[in-house]
Amino acid sequence: MKINPKLLTLFLFIISLTILSLDAATSAQADGGSTTPQPPMAEKKPKITKIHGETLVDDYFWLREKTNPQVMEHLKAEDA
């Protein structure tokens, strides 16, 4: 059986690209994905609510205040 040299070259080229792309993906994951941006940490500001004899603590209640500039900064950082 005779193999077309152009097809063989194309086949080898495609195989080489596949191997290179797999190697790049593997090396990107090997560093623990450190290139992925980390989400911002929200500050804890406890809000205590007493209801029906229970005490509830919500550390992130302040994030509901959409008019608070700190809340908007945090939301924008999350979207980045």
Side-chain angles (χ1 to χ4, degrees):
M1 174 166 89
K2 188 172 183 180
I3 299 175
N4 185 337
K6 289 183 181 180
L7 286 177
L8 179 61
T9 303
L10 179 62
F11 176 74
L12 292 174
F13 178 72
I14 291 171
I15 295 295
S16 299
L17 285 179
T18 303
I19 291 170
L20 288 174
S21 65
L22 289 175
D23 183 48
T26 304
S27 64
Q29 292 175 356
D31 69 354
S34 63
T35 58
T36 304
Q38 297 299 313
M41 296 297 295
E43 182 181 345
K44 290 184 178 183
K45 297 180 182 180
K47 179 184 183 325
I48 299 172
T49 304
K50 294 185 181 187
I51 186 167
H52 303 294
E54 297 289 327
T55 301
L56 307 174
V57 179
D58 186 350
D59 291 330
Y60 303 103
F61 185 85
W62 69 276
L63 288 171
R64 298 179 187 197
E65 302 169 10
K66 302 297 186 234
T67 57
N68 183 338
Q70 289 178 327
V71 172
M72 297 312 293
E73 286 177 27
H74 180 78
L75 293 176
K76 287 178 185 176
E78 280 187 331
D79 288 341

